[in-house]
Amino acid sequence: MKRQIRKYAFLLLIVVGNGYAQSKKHLDANKPIEDRISLLMKEMTLEEKVGQMNQYNGSWDVTGPKPESGSNEEKYNNIKKGLVGSMLSVRGVKEVRAVQKMAVEETRLGIPLIFGFDVIHGYKTLSPIPLAEAASWDLEAIKNSARIAAVEASASGLNWTFAPNVDISNDARWGRVMEGAGEDPYLGSKIATARVKGFQGESLSANTAIIACAKHFAGYGFVEAGREYNSVDMSNSKLYNSVLPPFKAAVDAGIRTFMNSFNTLNGVPATGNSFLQRDILKGAWKFNGFVVSDWASIAEMITHGYAADGADAAQKAAIAGSDMDMESNVYVTELAQLVKKGLVKESVIDDAVRRILRVKFELGLFDNPYKYCDEAREKSSIGNKANNDAVLDMAKKSIVLLKNASLPGRNEKLLPLKKEGIKIALIGALANDKNSPLGSWRIAADDNTAVSVLEGMQHYKNNTLVYEKGTDVALNKQAFVDEVKINTTDFSGFEAAKEAAKQAEVVVMVLGEIGFQSGEGRSRTELGLPGNQQQLLEEVYKVNPNIILVLNNGRPLALPWAAEHIPAIVEAWQLGTQSGNAIAQVLYGDYNPSGKLTMSFPRNVGQCPIYYNLYNTGRPTNKDQNAFWSHYIDVEKTPLYPFGYGLSYTSFEYKNLKLAKTSFQKGEKIELTVDVTNTGNVDGKEVVQLYINDVAASVVRPVKELKGFELIALKKGETKTVQFTLTDAALGFYDNNGNFLTESGLFNVMVGWNSNEGLTGKFELK
């Protein structure tokens, strides 16, 4: 009997040993990745495959004691069973190494995890919010900003960011405009490409590369009434021509993951939308990375009224092409049974798992699961001087000068400030705020680590600087999840602020939104200065009109009174870690602002959504003094500040717009040039913008569409000839069936300094 037992034990060892050897064949780095995936998948059970489609949030201290109960214990045990493919919000080398060790060394197949985190505009060292970065129109700087974020995040053990947000949006009420690049799909596509390449680097095999994730697929920027998580109902023309181009650009740039959106699109939740995920993304675009749900968006299809229960939600999401479930927990609990019941084909599971494993192999995690776990690099790479210098440069490039008038009775403008001999009153709670400038989506950064405007201006020691708060913006010290209680009742600081202004030659007022008034869940129905800041501005103006208004905000604001009365207005957004230094250097003229708006600023919230690339109506003008034409009866229909707008401390003159000829054949390159001269007294940069209009098309085209831009540097007195080349791709558009068309006909062209002003010409395409 003992001999027989020993015989069976020996045979068992042979079987287990052979299985173990077989399972390790996928670790041969000399084999092609697709072969390695196939070898591994042959060894996986159905449950282990489904496990790769499961992402958990790391909500316990991984390096602490083992969780003993509740959802954390389930997560912990499922990691050890090989039923988890990715972890969210586990960061720091020690934490990441501990979880990765469980997945790699304590499971049957040792499949490594991907570690994801919201690295939106930096990790520890923060760049400006993405909307501000977009205002730089500097693609190389934006790429470098994402690269710095990737270097810091990867040094902390992370290898996946849920960025870039490439949602096009033209509604400032929506709080998440701060995460995107604005209202234009052409510029949005260029910025999407820059950020993808910045995050992912030259090669995914490098330990500084992190996987980028294009979000939110699709239509999220057009939620009704600008209200977070709301429904989206749009035409195919809008979808194909405005929403999808930046996502397609991300695919072309090599992005490896997509995130679907919370909203319904024309009645179907994006998470369960086969048209978006199967037909367009994985079909027409041939995307071979994977799609992750947004937080619990699979389970939320039940609340939408699209799925009956968790099993139904899991079935519909998987079939529609959502490959990984973020925190709904329905894939890991339901999918295997759905396959066994014949409700979901195993080929659907195999396709999702192959996509997820492909990205893990591309990252090199199978060859070295701990490649992101270097404590020495973590200490040296995060928050160093080089990173701070780079985000300071990005912050300065993001600032937009909206207005700069002359002082009363003088032939000189209010900006830049003199560096000696003047008394300046600095007013506003945001001027001495070290937290709000960090903006929203800064969860790895430490609170109160931004350089304040007060600190930045204190570096200029040859002027007298007096600070007064004036008023608080908020009455509570809010965290990300707290409700912001805006101050509308406390005016106690007004008199001190007015007295300081009376004694000053120039007043700098820093007003706007606190850091958490924009971002996810931060929709607004009023777009003026929050609380009693507008009253403070008007009271100070009565005693000293020489005001420089510095705006800190995460979205376009409606500022008609300020635009009329305040002589100098600087859009300084929420600029991140080096905010105050950037603002001070611009105010004092050590940096000449060159930013241009990428979202139109409304005159009031009633104009929203407002955008430059609108369609003409049948009655666009008041040609015959007809009362019934497309307008408002109480305010102009134009924006306060248009897309592409931004001033400089110098001036630029545009001349000699020339087209190579007036008639072109399809397929022929259309070349045009314009001369731009710096006519001012200081060196500066200008964003030269090219717009077209297809006069008559089978689907109506916008009155203007951005189709090119060049950021040029000009010394004072210098002239440069800027050349643009248009191709059929720039002249074409998508019809309502998603077909790309380039049609013959007449085209208007404008080259200018914003979307409203420039030199015009026309040509014919035959």
Side-chain angles (χ1 to χ4, degrees), residues 2 117 143 151 186 198 212 247 254 291 339 393 406 417 438 457 506 524 546 557 587 650 743 747 749:
K2 290 181 179 178
F117 194 72
K143 176 183 172 182
V151 168
Y186 177 85
F247 289 102
V291 179
V339 172
D393 179 66
S406 299
L417 290 169
L438 298 176
M457 293 188 70
V506 177
R524 292 182 61 194
N546 296 332
L557 298 177
L587 293 181
T650 190
E743 297 179 340
F747 287 81
V749 62

Short mmCIF file of all heavy atoms in Angstrom, two decimals, residues 2 117 143 151 186 198 212 247 254 291 339 393 406 417 438 457 506 524 546 557 587 650 743 747 749:
data_model
loop_
_atom_site.label_atom_id
_atom_site.label_comp_id
_atom_site.label_asym_id
_atom_site.label_seq_id
_atom_site.Cartn_x
_atom_site.Cartn_y
_atom_site.Cartn_z
N LYS A 2 1.92 1.25 0.87
CA LYS A 2 2.81 2.41 0.94
C LYS A 2 3.53 2.62 -0.37
O LYS A 2 3.71 3.74 -0.85
CB LYS A 2 3.82 2.23 2.06
CG LYS A 2 3.22 2.32 3.45
CD LYS A 2 4.28 2.16 4.51
CE LYS A 2 3.68 2.27 5.92
NZ LYS A 2 4.69 2.07 6.97
N PHE A 117 -3.35 54.83 -11.65
CA PHE A 117 -3.53 55.98 -10.77
C PHE A 117 -3.91 57.19 -11.63
O PHE A 117 -3.54 57.27 -12.80
CB PHE A 117 -2.23 56.26 -10.01
CG PHE A 117 -2.39 57.20 -8.84
CD1 PHE A 117 -3.02 56.79 -7.68
CD2 PHE A 117 -1.88 58.48 -8.89
CE1 PHE A 117 -3.15 57.64 -6.59
CE2 PHE A 117 -2.01 59.34 -7.82
CZ PHE A 117 -2.65 58.91 -6.66
N LYS A 143 4.01 67.85 -24.06
CA LYS A 143 4.59 66.51 -24.07
C LYS A 143 5.58 66.35 -22.92
O LYS A 143 5.58 65.34 -22.21
CB LYS A 143 5.28 66.26 -25.41
CG LYS A 143 6.01 64.93 -25.51
CD LYS A 143 6.71 64.80 -26.87
CE LYS A 143 7.59 63.57 -26.92
NZ LYS A 143 8.32 63.48 -28.22
N VAL A 151 7.66 60.14 -15.26
CA VAL A 151 8.89 59.80 -14.54
C VAL A 151 8.64 59.73 -13.04
O VAL A 151 9.08 58.79 -12.37
CB VAL A 151 10.00 60.83 -14.87
CG1 VAL A 151 11.19 60.67 -13.93
CG2 VAL A 151 10.45 60.68 -16.32
N TYR A 186 -9.41 69.86 -33.57
CA TYR A 186 -8.09 69.84 -34.21
C TYR A 186 -7.00 70.05 -33.17
O TYR A 186 -6.05 69.26 -33.07
CB TYR A 186 -8.01 70.91 -35.30
CG TYR A 186 -6.66 71.00 -35.97
CD1 TYR A 186 -6.34 70.17 -37.04
CD2 TYR A 186 -5.70 71.90 -35.52
CE1 TYR A 186 -5.09 70.23 -37.65
CE2 TYR A 186 -4.45 71.97 -36.12
CZ TYR A 186 -4.14 71.14 -37.18
OH TYR A 186 -2.90 71.20 -37.77
N GLY A 198 4.13 61.76 -24.33
CA GLY A 198 4.83 62.13 -23.11
C GLY A 198 4.71 61.07 -22.03
O GLY A 198 5.70 60.69 -21.40
N ALA A 212 -0.76 55.26 -21.11
CA ALA A 212 -1.75 56.33 -21.14
C ALA A 212 -3.14 55.73 -21.38
O ALA A 212 -3.28 54.61 -21.86
CB ALA A 212 -1.41 57.34 -22.23
N PHE A 247 -9.77 61.12 -29.93
CA PHE A 247 -9.62 59.70 -29.58
C PHE A 247 -8.89 58.95 -30.70
O PHE A 247 -8.01 58.12 -30.44
CB PHE A 247 -10.99 59.07 -29.33
CG PHE A 247 -11.64 59.52 -28.05
CD1 PHE A 247 -12.65 60.46 -28.06
CD2 PHE A 247 -11.24 58.99 -26.83
CE1 PHE A 247 -13.25 60.88 -26.88
CE2 PHE A 247 -11.84 59.39 -25.64
CZ PHE A 247 -12.85 60.34 -25.67
N GLY A 254 -0.42 55.62 -30.62
CA GLY A 254 0.03 54.40 -29.98
C GLY A 254 -0.49 54.18 -28.57
O GLY A 254 0.07 53.37 -27.82
N VAL A 291 -9.89 48.26 -23.04
CA VAL A 291 -10.80 49.27 -22.54
C VAL A 291 -11.13 48.97 -21.08
O VAL A 291 -11.50 47.85 -20.73
CB VAL A 291 -12.11 49.29 -23.36
CG1 VAL A 291 -13.08 50.34 -22.80
CG2 VAL A 291 -11.83 49.55 -24.83
N VAL A 339 -20.60 32.63 -18.94
CA VAL A 339 -20.00 31.82 -20.00
C VAL A 339 -20.51 30.38 -19.93
O VAL A 339 -20.90 29.78 -20.94
CB VAL A 339 -18.46 31.86 -19.90
CG1 VAL A 339 -17.83 30.86 -20.88
CG2 VAL A 339 -17.94 33.26 -20.19
N ASP A 393 8.31 76.50 -16.09
CA ASP A 393 8.31 76.90 -17.50
C ASP A 393 6.94 76.66 -18.12
O ASP A 393 6.41 77.51 -18.85
CB ASP A 393 9.38 76.11 -18.25
CG ASP A 393 9.42 76.45 -19.73
OD1 ASP A 393 9.77 77.60 -20.06
OD2 ASP A 393 9.10 75.58 -20.55
N SER A 406 -3.94 101.30 -20.83
CA SER A 406 -3.05 102.33 -20.30
C SER A 406 -3.59 102.88 -18.99
O SER A 406 -4.81 102.90 -18.75
CB SER A 406 -2.91 103.47 -21.31
OG SER A 406 -2.36 103.00 -22.51
N LEU A 417 4.69 95.34 -14.53
CA LEU A 417 4.96 96.20 -13.38
C LEU A 417 6.41 96.71 -13.39
O LEU A 417 7.32 95.99 -13.81
CB LEU A 417 4.72 95.42 -12.09
CG LEU A 417 3.29 95.07 -11.73
CD1 LEU A 417 3.28 94.07 -10.58
CD2 LEU A 417 2.49 96.31 -11.36
N LEU A 438 -2.91 74.30 -6.75
CA LEU A 438 -2.64 72.93 -7.15
C LEU A 438 -3.76 72.38 -8.03
O LEU A 438 -3.58 71.42 -8.77
CB LEU A 438 -2.46 72.03 -5.93
CG LEU A 438 -1.29 72.39 -5.00
CD1 LEU A 438 -1.30 71.47 -3.78
CD2 LEU A 438 0.04 72.30 -5.73
N MET A 457 5.66 87.20 -5.50
CA MET A 457 5.91 88.63 -5.63
C MET A 457 6.91 89.13 -4.59
O MET A 457 7.57 90.16 -4.80
CB MET A 457 4.59 89.40 -5.52
CG MET A 457 3.65 89.14 -6.69
SD MET A 457 2.19 90.21 -6.70
CE MET A 457 2.93 91.79 -7.12
N VAL A 506 -0.53 100.80 -7.44
CA VAL A 506 -1.12 99.74 -8.25
C VAL A 506 -1.70 98.69 -7.32
O VAL A 506 -1.13 98.38 -6.27
CB VAL A 506 -0.07 99.08 -9.18
CG1 VAL A 506 -0.70 97.92 -9.96
CG2 VAL A 506 0.52 100.10 -10.14
N ARG A 524 -21.27 73.99 -12.29
CA ARG A 524 -21.76 75.26 -11.73
C ARG A 524 -22.85 75.84 -12.64
O ARG A 524 -22.80 75.67 -13.85
CB ARG A 524 -20.62 76.28 -11.60
CG ARG A 524 -19.57 75.96 -10.57
CD ARG A 524 -18.52 77.06 -10.50
NE ARG A 524 -19.11 78.34 -10.11
CZ ARG A 524 -18.48 79.52 -10.22
NH1 ARG A 524 -17.26 79.58 -10.75
NH2 ARG A 524 -19.08 80.63 -9.84
N ASN A 546 -6.61 101.47 -10.64
CA ASN A 546 -5.41 100.90 -11.27
C ASN A 546 -5.22 99.45 -10.81
O ASN A 546 -4.30 99.11 -10.07
CB ASN A 546 -4.17 101.73 -10.91
CG ASN A 546 -4.26 103.14 -11.47
OD1 ASN A 546 -4.91 103.37 -12.49
ND2 ASN A 546 -3.62 104.08 -10.80
N LEU A 557 -14.67 81.87 -17.09
CA LEU A 557 -15.57 82.61 -16.23
C LEU A 557 -16.27 83.70 -17.04
O LEU A 557 -15.76 84.16 -18.06
CB LEU A 557 -14.81 83.24 -15.06
CG LEU A 557 -14.12 82.28 -14.10
CD1 LEU A 557 -13.34 83.05 -13.03
CD2 LEU A 557 -15.11 81.32 -13.45
N LEU A 587 3.91 89.09 -14.29
CA LEU A 587 3.48 90.43 -13.88
C LEU A 587 4.63 91.43 -13.97
O LEU A 587 4.42 92.60 -14.32
CB LEU A 587 2.93 90.40 -12.44
CG LEU A 587 1.63 89.64 -12.21
CD1 LEU A 587 1.21 89.73 -10.75
CD2 LEU A 587 0.51 90.15 -13.11
N THR A 650 4.14 92.82 -26.27
CA THR A 650 4.51 93.45 -27.53
C THR A 650 3.31 93.40 -28.46
O THR A 650 2.21 92.98 -28.06
CB THR A 650 5.74 92.76 -28.15
OG1 THR A 650 6.22 93.53 -29.24
CG2 THR A 650 5.42 91.34 -28.60
N GLU A 743 -14.81 67.25 -50.50
CA GLU A 743 -15.67 67.66 -51.61
C GLU A 743 -15.11 68.88 -52.32
O GLU A 743 -14.48 69.74 -51.71
CB GLU A 743 -17.09 67.95 -51.11
CG GLU A 743 -17.76 66.72 -50.51
CD GLU A 743 -19.16 67.01 -49.99
OE1 GLU A 743 -19.48 68.19 -49.75
OE2 GLU A 743 -19.93 66.04 -49.84
N PHE A 747 -13.63 77.46 -50.81
CA PHE A 747 -13.23 77.49 -49.41
C PHE A 747 -12.75 78.90 -49.05
O PHE A 747 -11.99 79.52 -49.80
CB PHE A 747 -12.08 76.51 -49.13
CG PHE A 747 -12.49 75.07 -49.14
CD1 PHE A 747 -12.64 74.38 -50.34
CD2 PHE A 747 -12.73 74.39 -47.95
CE1 PHE A 747 -13.02 73.05 -50.36
CE2 PHE A 747 -13.11 73.06 -47.96
CZ PHE A 747 -13.25 72.38 -49.17
N VAL A 749 -10.54 81.08 -46.29
CA VAL A 749 -9.41 80.83 -45.40
C VAL A 749 -9.11 82.11 -44.63
O VAL A 749 -9.27 83.22 -45.15
CB VAL A 749 -8.17 80.35 -46.20
CG1 VAL A 749 -7.70 81.40 -47.19
CG2 VAL A 749 -7.04 79.96 -45.26
#
